[in-house]
Amino acid sequence: VLFTGSEERAPVALVDCNNFYVSCERAFDPSLEHRPVVVLSNNDGCVIARSEEAKQLGIRMGAPLFTCRTVVRQHSVRVFSSNYALYGDMSARVMETLGRFSPRMEEYSIDEAFLECPRLSGACPMDWARRLRAQVARCTGIPVSVGIAPTKTLAKIAARIAKKKPGSAGVCELAAHDDIDTALAGVAVDAVWGIGRRYAELLRRRGIMTARDLKGADDGWARRHMTIQGLRTVMELRGVSCLGIEDAPPAPRSILSSRSFGSPVGDPAALREALADNISTAAEKLRGRGMLASAVQVFISTGGHGPGPHHSASLTLDLPQPISDTRELIRRGLAGFDRLYRAGVCYRKAGVLLSGLHKERARQPVLFGCRAADERSGRFMEAVDAINARWGRGAVSFAAPAQAVRAWRMRRRFMSGRYTTCWSELPLARA
DNA sequence: TCTGGGGTCCTAGGACCC
DNA sequence: TCTGGGGTCCTAGGACCC
């Protein structure tokens, strides 16, 4: 099915937080205003958020920190490690505020949401967007851009225009009766939602350079070369809605936990620890969703950079019955690791993927299984989760001493406080 | 010296079934 | 000489998103 829905569809709004991670840091540290600020990926590896001032300095998205050392020093760029406790909580506050503005909303990512524009008597969507924008700023301190259009793909473009075009004051509407083509002609094809690097290359070779060109692309060609999703993108650009607002997100199909190491690790005991730590995290997430996994995939990798032999390997283990017990998942996962590990190789990353997920309530008992043992396991993990919820992550942990400082632990040299979720790190107000 | 993490969807091709 | 047709399920790989 290419598209669904009625003729008279309400316009869609995309609300996008500006430079979200940087804005979170700024909300608690006004000295960061009007200065270049960047936030780094885990392990302080790459730049993943930049203030406008940092963009002006030519710092690229995804640039490894070591490649920007000079500009950082010369312009006193403020650098932060990523602080997901803070960003996650700030995101929840933004979403809660947005929820008051529409009965239908999809939390699309940590810093974006699609909202159905409510039908307002006598008020235009632009006024609604301005009020929403002011309210989010007042309640959270986070600046947002709002794009309004007949389809999600066009709303993404409108939000981009709202953010970039001088004088738009953070809001932009591409209404059905407007001259949308002129706006689309100013948007490079690789800026369209759903068009990544590979497709952009393919399209440019065919002379399709802008969103407007893509809108006029041949349907059959798009279907053949960019799958059904590519065709949907083309239709959405034409104002035909193919993507609805998913206000009840489907249950996840897999849960992944993986981390690069602070420094390379060759010692199998340390690798097992790191893997056990990832499995713990994934299993906790699994139980938090009330789900069970029926397969566990473990992987280790050296990455493609640096000297020494490179090695990447993964192994999927099917479980005899769906489980969520951390101990059993670790036991299975480590048995898999032992088959993957090569002596003398320095690894940079390890992780686990839980798949074949089912709701716990839908579990089918094993014919010759032991119900009492399953119940004991369930109560045991409940107790562990309760203790960790109360006393902090890692209060109880498996197979890895929680306090030890180890080579595989993440580097986070520029961490700000957990201002909103940790009593001892609340910001101080001075008289 | 130093390069993130967590997801989704789609397709092709092979195994297997009747 | 001549060797079917229709389907499901699974996996790997490739594309995309933030």
Side-chain angles (χ1 to χ4, degrees):
Chain A
V1 175
L2 186 59
F3 61 92
T4 57
S6 59
E7 310 293 317
E8 280 300 309
R9 200 184 267 273
V12 180
L14 176 71
V15 180
D16 190 347
C17 299
N18 299 344
N19 317 326
F20 181 56
Y21 298 167
V22 168
S23 297
C24 289
E25 300 293 347
R26 278 180 170 165
F28 294 92
D29 184 352
S31 77
L32 302 174
E33 296 291 341
H34 312 299
R35 296 189 50 179
V37 182
V38 299
V39 176
L40 305 176
S41 61
N42 281 337
N43 261 319
D44 297 340
C46 301
V47 173
I48 54 168
R50 307 159 295 161
S51 71
E52 286 308 319
E53 298 78 5
K55 291 175 190 171
Q56 291 299 315
L57 292 174
I59 298 174
R60 287 188 347 274
M61 186 68 172
L65 178 61
F66 71 88
T67 64
C68 346
R69 282 266 187 257
T70 313
V71 66
V72 165
R73 200 173 325 111
Q74 279 175 356
H75 295 88
S76 311
V77 176
R78 292 290 306 271
V79 176
F80 290 89
S81 302
S82 35
N83 181 347
Y84 284 99
L86 179 64
Y87 311 152
D89 186 62
M90 292 300 283
S91 172
R93 291 168 188 230
V94 170
M95 298 299 174
E96 196 268 320
T97 309
L98 294 179
R100 296 181 222 154
F101 282 82
S102 173
R104 295 204 60 205
M105 164 169 136
E106 171 185 346
E107 290 186 23
Y108 175 66
S109 73
I110 195 167
D111 72 332
E112 280 173 70
F114 289 103
L115 279 71
E116 187 178 276
C117 285
R119 301 192 181 281
L120 306 161
S121 50
C124 77
M126 287 289 270
D127 290 332
W128 171 82
R130 287 188 196 99
R131 284 206 313 280
L132 174 155
R133 200 171 173 274
Q135 187 69 3
V136 173
R138 183 167 164 271
C139 294
T140 68
I142 303 291
V144 301
S145 304
V146 188
I148 298 172
T151 67
K152 280 177 147 183
T153 305
L154 288 169
K156 290 280 276 189
I157 289 176
R160 186 189 161 84
I161 294 170
K163 192 178 291 191
K164 296 203 158 184
K165 193 172 163 192
S168 56
V171 292
C172 170
E173 181 178 14
L174 298 174
H177 50 79
D178 288 347
D179 181 14
I180 293 183
D181 276 4
T182 307
L184 295 188
V187 176
V189 76
D190 60 2
V192 174
W193 191 40
I195 304 301
R197 235 188 34 235
R198 305 303 294 270
Y199 283 163
E201 221 170 274
L202 178 74
L203 289 164
R204 279 194 293 262
R205 277 203 304 274
R206 219 177 180 255
I208 295 171
M209 319 302 272
T210 68
R212 185 180 175 177
D213 298 339
L214 183 57
K215 179 183 168 185
D218 179 73
D219 291 8
W221 185 88
R223 174 69 183 82
R224 264 196 311 283
H225 292 92
M226 297 160 62
T227 82
I228 186 82
Q229 306 192 97
L231 180 54
R232 286 200 184 107
T233 299
V234 172
M235 299 301 285
E236 286 247 325
L237 288 174
R238 294 177 191 161
V240 177
S241 177
C242 305
L243 307 167
I245 292 182
E246 313 263 341
D247 47 3
R253 306 170 63 82
S254 63
I255 291 174
L256 178 79
S257 173
S258 75
R259 285 281 180 280
S260 300
F261 304 140
S263 40
V265 176
D267 172 22
L271 285 166
R272 292 169 65 95
E273 262 183 27
L275 209 46
D277 196 54
N278 280 132
I279 294 172
S280 267
T281 305
E284 212 173 290
K285 229 185 278 181
L286 183 69
R287 293 190 298 271
R289 299 252 184 189
M291 302 188 87
L292 304 168
S294 44
V296 49
Q297 179 184 350
V298 288
F299 55 88
I300 50 177
S301 167
T302 56
H305 303 280
H310 289 167
H311 178 227
S312 288
S314 77
L315 189 64
T316 304
L317 303 139
D318 289 315
L319 305 170
Q321 62 168 317
I323 57 169
S324 65
D325 188 306
T326 301
R327 297 164 295 178
E328 182 65 5
L329 287 166
I330 288 180
R331 207 173 62 73
R332 299 267 175 179
L334 292 186
F337 164 80
D338 292 339
R339 291 162 58 189
L340 297 175
Y341 170 74
R342 280 189 199 163
V345 176
C346 275
Y347 292 92
R348 299 210 61 99
K349 184 174 184 165
V352 62
L353 180 76
L354 302 180
S355 57
L357 307 188
H358 309 280
K359 275 287 173 198
E360 195 164 12
R361 278 188 316 220
R363 154 199 235 152
Q364 187 172 51
V366 169
L367 183 55
F368 299 110
C370 174
R371 204 168 150 186
D374 289 349
E375 278 171 10
R376 261 202 313 280
S377 150
R379 284 200 303 276
F380 178 82
M381 293 315 306
E382 253 173 54
V384 168
D385 289 338
I387 293 169
N388 283 336
R390 174 151 182 199
W391 301 103
R393 269 215 81 215
V396 179
S397 67
F398 297 89
Q403 301 305 317
V405 176
R406 291 171 191 262
W408 55 269
R409 292 245 175 250
M410 239 187 332
R411 283 194 302 269
R412 296 203 285 201
R413 292 163 54 214
F414 316 106
M415 203 54 173
S416 53
R418 290 167 290 178
Y419 302 120
T420 60
T421 54
C422 180
W423 286 112
S424 61
E425 297 175 21
L426 294 184
L428 295 175
R430 295 191 185 77

Coordinates of all heavy atoms in Angstrom, one line a residue, chain A residues 41-42 66 223 253-254 256 258-260 348, chain B residues 1-11:
Chain A
S41 N 30.5 12.7 20.8 CA 29.9 11.4 20.9 C 30.5 10.6 22.1 O 31.5 11.1 22.7 CB 30.3 10.6 19.6 OG 31.7 10.4 19.5
N42 N 30.0 9.5 22.4 CA 30.6 8.7 23.4 C 32.1 8.5 23.2 O 32.5 8.5 22.1 CB 29.9 7.3 23.4 CG 28.6 7.3 24.1 OD1 28.3 8.2 24.9 ND2 27.8 6.3 23.8
F66 N 40.0 15.1 17.2 CA 41.5 15.3 17.0 C 41.7 16.1 15.7 O 42.8 16.7 15.6 CB 42.3 14.0 17.1 CG 42.1 13.1 16.0 CD1 42.9 13.2 14.8 CD2 41.2 12.1 16.0 CE1 42.7 12.3 13.8 CE2 41.0 11.2 15.0 CZ 41.8 11.3 13.8
R223 N 10.7 3.8 -8.1 CA 10.4 2.5 -7.5 C 11.5 1.5 -7.7 O 11.9 0.7 -6.8 CB 9.1 2.0 -8.1 CG 8.6 0.6 -7.7 CD 8.2 0.6 -6.2 NE 7.9 -0.7 -5.7 CZ 8.8 -1.7 -5.4 NH1 10.1 -1.4 -5.4 NH2 8.4 -2.8 -4.9
R253 N 11.8 -4.3 17.8 CA 12.0 -5.6 17.2 C 13.4 -6.2 17.7 O 13.7 -7.3 17.5 CB 11.9 -5.6 15.7 CG 10.6 -5.0 15.2 CD 10.6 -4.7 13.8 NE 10.7 -6.0 13.0 CZ 9.7 -6.8 12.7 NH1 8.5 -6.5 13.1 NH2 10.0 -7.9 12.0
S254 N 14.2 -5.2 18.1 CA 15.5 -5.7 18.6 C 16.0 -4.6 19.6 O 15.6 -3.5 19.6 CB 16.5 -5.8 17.5 OG 16.7 -4.6 16.8
L256 N 19.8 -3.2 21.1 CA 21.2 -3.3 20.9 C 21.9 -2.5 22.1 O 21.5 -1.5 22.5 CB 21.6 -2.6 19.6 CG 23.0 -2.4 19.2 CD1 23.5 -3.8 18.6 CD2 23.2 -1.3 18.2
S258 N 26.0 -1.6 22.6 CA 27.4 -1.7 22.3 C 28.2 -0.4 22.6 O 27.6 0.6 22.7 CB 27.5 -2.0 20.8 OG 27.3 -0.8 20.0
R259 N 29.5 -0.6 22.9 CA 30.3 0.5 23.2 C 31.7 0.3 22.6 O 32.2 -0.7 22.7 CB 30.5 0.6 24.7 CG 29.3 1.2 25.5 CD 29.1 2.7 25.4 NE 28.0 3.1 26.1 CZ 26.7 3.1 25.6 NH1 26.5 2.6 24.4 NH2 25.7 3.6 26.4
S260 N 32.2 1.4 22.1 CA 33.7 1.4 21.9 C 34.4 1.5 23.2 O 33.9 2.1 24.1 CB 34.0 2.6 21.0 OG 33.3 2.6 19.8
R348 N 38.5 -2.9 19.7 CA 38.1 -1.6 20.1 C 36.6 -1.5 20.5 O 36.1 -0.4 20.9 CB 38.3 -0.6 18.9 CG 39.7 -0.5 18.5 CD 40.0 0.9 18.0 NE 39.7 1.9 19.0 CZ 40.7 2.5 19.7 NH1 41.9 2.2 19.5 NH2 40.3 3.3 20.7
Chain B
dT1 P 50.1 9.3 15.8 OP1 49.4 10.5 15.9 OP2 51.0 9.3 15.1 O5' 50.2 8.7 17.2 C5' 49.7 7.4 17.5 C4' 48.8 7.5 18.7 O4' 48.9 8.7 19.4 C3' 47.3 7.5 18.2 O3' 46.7 6.3 18.6 C2' 46.7 8.6 18.9 C1' 47.7 9.1 20.0 N1 47.7 10.6 20.1 C2 47.0 11.1 21.2 O2 46.3 10.4 21.9 N3 47.0 12.5 21.3 C4 47.8 13.3 20.5 O4 47.7 14.5 20.7 C5 48.5 12.7 19.4 C7 49.3 13.5 18.5 C6 48.4 11.4 19.3
dC2 P 45.3 5.8 18.0 OP1 45.0 4.5 18.6 OP2 45.6 5.9 16.5 O5' 44.2 6.9 18.4 C5' 43.7 6.9 19.6 C4' 42.6 8.0 19.7 O4' 43.2 9.3 19.7 C3' 41.7 8.0 18.5 O3' 40.4 7.6 19.0 C2' 41.6 9.4 18.0 C1' 42.6 10.2 18.8 N1 43.7 10.8 18.1 C2 44.3 12.0 18.6 O2 43.9 12.4 19.6 N3 45.3 12.5 17.9 C4 45.7 12.0 16.7 N4 46.6 12.7 16.1 C5 45.1 10.9 16.2 C6 44.1 10.3 16.9
dT3 P 39.6 6.4 18.2 OP1 39.2 5.4 19.2 OP2 40.5 5.9 17.1 O5' 38.4 6.9 17.5 C5' 38.0 8.3 17.6 C4' 36.8 8.4 16.7 O4' 37.3 9.0 15.4 C3' 36.1 7.1 16.3 O3' 34.7 7.4 16.1 C2' 36.7 6.8 14.9 C1' 36.9 8.2 14.3 N1 38.0 8.3 13.4 C2 37.7 8.7 12.1 O2 36.6 9.0 11.8 N3 38.8 8.8 11.2 C4 40.1 8.5 11.5 O4 41.0 8.6 10.7 C5 40.3 8.0 12.9 C7 41.7 7.7 13.3 C6 39.3 7.9 13.7
dG4 P 33.6 6.2 16.2 OP1 34.3 5.1 16.9 OP2 33.0 6.1 14.9 O5' 32.5 6.8 17.2 C5' 32.8 7.2 18.5 C4' 31.5 7.0 19.3 O4' 30.5 7.8 18.8 C3' 31.1 5.5 19.2 O3' 30.6 5.1 20.5 C2' 29.9 5.6 18.2 C1' 29.4 7.0 18.4 N9 28.9 7.6 17.1 C8 29.6 7.6 15.9 N7 28.9 8.2 15.0 C5 27.7 8.6 15.6 C6 26.6 9.2 15.1 O6 26.4 9.6 13.9 N1 25.6 9.4 16.1 C2 25.7 9.0 17.3 N2 24.7 9.3 18.1 N3 26.8 8.4 17.8 C4 27.7 8.2 16.9
dG5 P 30.1 3.6 20.6 OP1 30.5 3.2 22.0 OP2 30.6 2.7 19.5 O5' 28.6 3.7 20.5 C5' 27.9 4.6 21.5 C4' 26.5 4.5 21.3 O4' 26.1 5.2 20.1 C3' 26.0 3.0 21.1 O3' 24.8 2.9 21.9 C2' 25.7 2.9 19.6 C1' 25.3 4.3 19.3 N9 25.4 4.8 17.9 C8 26.5 4.5 17.1 N7 26.3 5.1 15.9 C5 25.1 5.7 16.0 C6 24.4 6.4 15.0 O6 24.7 6.7 13.9 N1 23.2 6.9 15.5 C2 22.7 6.7 16.8 N2 21.5 7.2 17.1 N3 23.4 6.0 17.7 C4 24.5 5.5 17.2
dG6 P 24.1 1.6 22.1 OP1 23.8 1.5 23.5 OP2 24.9 0.5 21.5 O5' 22.8 1.8 21.3 C5' 21.9 2.8 21.7 C4' 20.8 2.8 20.7 O4' 21.3 3.4 19.5 C3' 20.2 1.4 20.3 O3' 18.8 1.4 20.5 C2' 20.6 1.3 18.9 C1' 20.7 2.7 18.4 N9 21.4 2.9 17.2 C8 22.7 2.4 16.9 N7 23.1 2.8 15.7 C5 22.0 3.6 15.2 C6 21.9 4.2 14.0 O6 22.6 4.2 13.0 N1 20.7 4.9 13.9 C2 19.7 4.9 14.9 N2 18.6 5.6 14.6 N3 19.9 4.3 16.1 C4 21.0 3.7 16.1
dG7 P 18.0 0.0 20.7 OP1 17.4 0.0 21.9 OP2 18.9 -1.1 20.3 O5' 16.9 0.2 19.6 C5' 17.1 -0.3 18.3 C4' 16.6 0.6 17.3 O4' 17.7 1.4 16.8 C3' 16.0 0.0 16.1 O3' 14.6 -0.3 16.4 C2' 16.1 1.1 15.1 C1' 17.4 1.8 15.5 N9 18.5 1.5 14.6 C8 19.7 0.8 14.8 N7 20.5 0.8 13.8 C5 19.8 1.5 12.8 C6 20.2 1.8 11.5 O6 21.3 1.4 10.9 N1 19.3 2.5 10.8 C2 18.1 2.9 11.4 N2 17.3 3.6 10.6 N3 17.7 2.7 12.6 C4 18.6 1.9 13.3
dT8 P 13.8 -1.5 15.7 OP1 12.6 -1.7 16.4 OP2 14.8 -2.6 15.4 O5' 13.5 -0.8 14.3 C5' 12.8 0.4 14.3 C4' 12.7 0.8 12.8 O4' 14.0 1.1 12.3 C3' 12.2 -0.3 11.9 O3' 10.9 0.0 11.5 C2' 13.1 -0.4 10.8 C1' 14.1 0.7 11.0 N1 15.5 0.2 10.8 C2 16.1 0.4 9.6 O2 15.6 1.1 8.8 N3 17.4 -0.1 9.5 C4 18.1 -0.8 10.4 O4 19.2 -1.2 10.2 C5 17.3 -1.1 11.6 C7 18.0 -1.9 12.7 C6 16.1 -0.6 11.8
dC9 P 10.1 -1.2 10.7 OP1 8.6 -0.9 11.0 OP2 10.6 -2.5 11.1 O5' 10.4 -1.0 9.2 C5' 10.3 0.3 8.6 C4' 10.9 0.2 7.2 O4' 12.4 -0.1 7.4 C3' 10.4 -1.0 6.4 O3' 9.9 -0.5 5.2 C2' 11.5 -2.0 6.3 C1' 12.8 -1.1 6.5 N1 13.9 -1.8 7.0 C2 15.1 -1.7 6.3 O2 15.2 -1.1 5.2 N3 16.2 -2.4 6.8 C4 16.1 -3.0 8.0 N4 17.2 -3.6 8.5 C5 14.9 -3.0 8.7 C6 13.9 -2.4 8.2
dC10 P 9.1 -1.5 4.2 OP1 8.1 -0.6 3.5 OP2 8.6 -2.7 4.9 O5' 10.2 -1.9 3.2 C5' 10.8 -1.0 2.4 C4' 11.9 -1.7 1.6 O4' 12.9 -2.1 2.5 C3' 11.4 -2.9 0.8 O3' 11.5 -2.6 -0.6 C2' 12.2 -4.1 1.3 C1' 13.4 -3.4 2.0 N1 13.9 -4.1 3.2 C2 15.3 -4.5 3.1 O2 16.0 -4.3 2.1 N3 15.8 -5.2 4.2 C4 15.0 -5.4 5.3 N4 15.6 -6.0 6.3 C5 13.7 -5.0 5.3 C6 13.2 -4.3 4.3
dT11 P 11.0 -3.7 -1.6 OP1 10.6 -3.0 -2.8 OP2 10.0 -4.6 -1.0 O5' 12.3 -4.5 -1.9 C5' 13.5 -3.8 -2.2 C4' 14.6 -4.8 -2.5 O4' 15.1 -5.3 -1.3 C3' 14.1 -6.1 -3.3 O3' 15.0 -6.2 -4.4 C2' 14.2 -7.2 -2.3 C1' 15.2 -6.7 -1.3 N1 15.1 -7.2 0.1 C2 16.2 -7.7 0.8 O2 17.3 -7.8 0.2 N3 15.9 -8.1 2.0 C4 14.7 -8.1 2.7 O4 14.6 -8.5 3.8 C5 13.6 -7.6 1.9 C7 12.2 -7.5 2.5 C6 13.8 -7.2 0.7

